[in-house]
Amino acid sequence: MTTPATDERDPGEDASPAFRRELVATVRAVDLLVLLAVPAVLLAVFALPEATRRSLAFAYADPTALTAFSAHYVHLDAGHLAGNVAGYCLLAGVGYAVAALGGARRFFLTALATFLLAFPFVLSALNLAVPRDAIGFGFSGINMALAGLLPLVLGAYARERFGLAGSVRALPAVFFALVGWIALLALPLSTTGLGLAGVATGVASALLAVLYASTAGIPIRPSVGAVARAVTARPGEGDLFAVAAVLVAGYPVVGFPADPTGAGSVVNLYVHLLGFCLAFIGPFALLAAGAFAE
């Protein structure tokens, strides 16, 4: 288990270089190889002829076990590939750093392996609940799973580095708040139809977050203040926390655009939501049960 940073330092000393050295020393070469294998596979698949890539996409009207898996590693244009590779590098890179320094390395890598090997089948199967004559492809569903995992490793990091004992217990409140934020992003705001549903879901999720925090005995304002003080008091450690927190709140803007239609394609908001929610709920249950105590 990683030892929390101490306060025994000169107040005027810049702790960032020491933190960077600790981060570099914490990173394992084999872990980097695992992380970098993913964009390598995506690029290798993209190098295949377009006809081959199309045959590996998931046809909802004619599903197969092979395409249920392969479709999540297929991209038909360079822009789609570049966006997903960039998103993966950001989410996996920050997530790994936070997990490694927060005593949750094994938890993160186990979850990553699950997302890469099992989630393609799960997400494709659940996609069949919405019948349509179309094909599905792209890595964004797995990216959204990494986005759902990030709050969990960030909670472990806050507990380990800043001594915030209730950080993991508070995570369901964060989840409810994020689901509300996603609803506001994905559904147009209006007083009728889907717009009203988005507003209603956002408000209901916010109320659930507050209700959960209240019943769990988590004071929201003091907790936020404690996190802010811890982050600002520890350069380096606090900077990484802030970057991860911005990513937690900001990545849904990428994954749930207000207008999901593009040139000849539609962003699959349904699979994005599935990836995000499943990646939070299952791993959180295991984390809360202590299955990955290190």
Side-chain angles (χ1 to χ4, degrees):
M1 181 176 288
T2 307
T3 303
T6 65
D7 290 322
E8 297 176 0
R9 69 166 68 106
D10 185 336
E13 179 185 353
D14 183 5
S16 296
F19 176 77
R20 286 194 292 270
R21 288 193 295 271
E22 181 186 2
L23 177 58
V24 170
T26 303
V27 173
R28 295 176 181 172
V30 66
D31 295 345
L32 288 182
L33 289 175
V34 171
L35 294 174
L36 293 174
V38 175
V41 169
L42 295 178
L43 291 170
V45 173
F46 188 71
L48 296 172
E50 182 177 348
T52 303
R53 282 180 278 142
R54 286 187 176 276
S55 71
L56 294 173
F58 187 68
Y60 301 114
D62 185 23
T64 68
L66 172 61
T67 57
F69 179 84
S70 63
H72 294 269
Y73 295 89
V74 168
H75 298 84
L76 299 183
D77 65 83
H80 189 199
L81 172 67
N84 276 336
V85 169
Y88 168 80
C89 290
L90 192 59
L91 291 164
V94 173
Y96 174 77
V98 169
L101 291 169
R105 184 199 309 268
R106 184 166 61 92
F107 171 72
F108 176 83
L109 293 175
T110 302
L112 176 64
T114 303
F115 298 162
L116 296 174
L117 300 176
F119 264 42
F121 294 109
V122 174
L123 296 178
S124 294
L126 291 174
N127 251 308
L128 296 177
V130 185
R132 55 209 185 273
D133 186 14
I135 61 172
F137 54 90
F139 196 75
S140 54
I142 300 176
N143 272 348
M144 285 310 305
L146 287 169
L149 181 69
L150 187 56
L152 301 180
V153 294
L154 190 57
Y157 180 85
R159 178 187 61 196
E160 187 71 14
R161 307 299 296 195
F162 304 138
L164 300 175
S167 56
V168 174
R169 186 163 50 93
L171 285 172
V174 175
F175 174 73
F176 292 135
L178 287 172
V179 169
W181 172 229
I182 288 171
L184 293 175
L185 289 171
L187 300 175
L189 299 181
S190 72
T191 57
T192 60
L194 288 176
L196 183 59
V199 174
T201 303
V203 171
S205 296
L207 291 175
L208 278 174
V210 173
L211 178 62
Y212 173 84
S214 175
T215 56
I218 302 170
I220 296 177
R221 185 178 298 178
S223 296
V224 172
V227 171
R229 287 191 296 273
V231 168
T232 56
R234 298 186 184 279
E237 294 173 308
D239 295 340
L240 179 59
F241 182 94
V243 168
V246 169
L247 191 55
V248 166
Y251 197 79
V253 177
V254 177
F256 297 91
D259 183 8
T261 59
S265 64
V266 178
V267 177
N268 193 335
L269 301 182
Y270 172 64
V271 79
H272 287 192
L273 182 62
L274 285 175
F276 179 85
C277 292
L278 292 176
F280 183 98
I281 295 170
F284 172 75
L286 294 174
L287 191 65
F292 288 92
E294 298 190 10

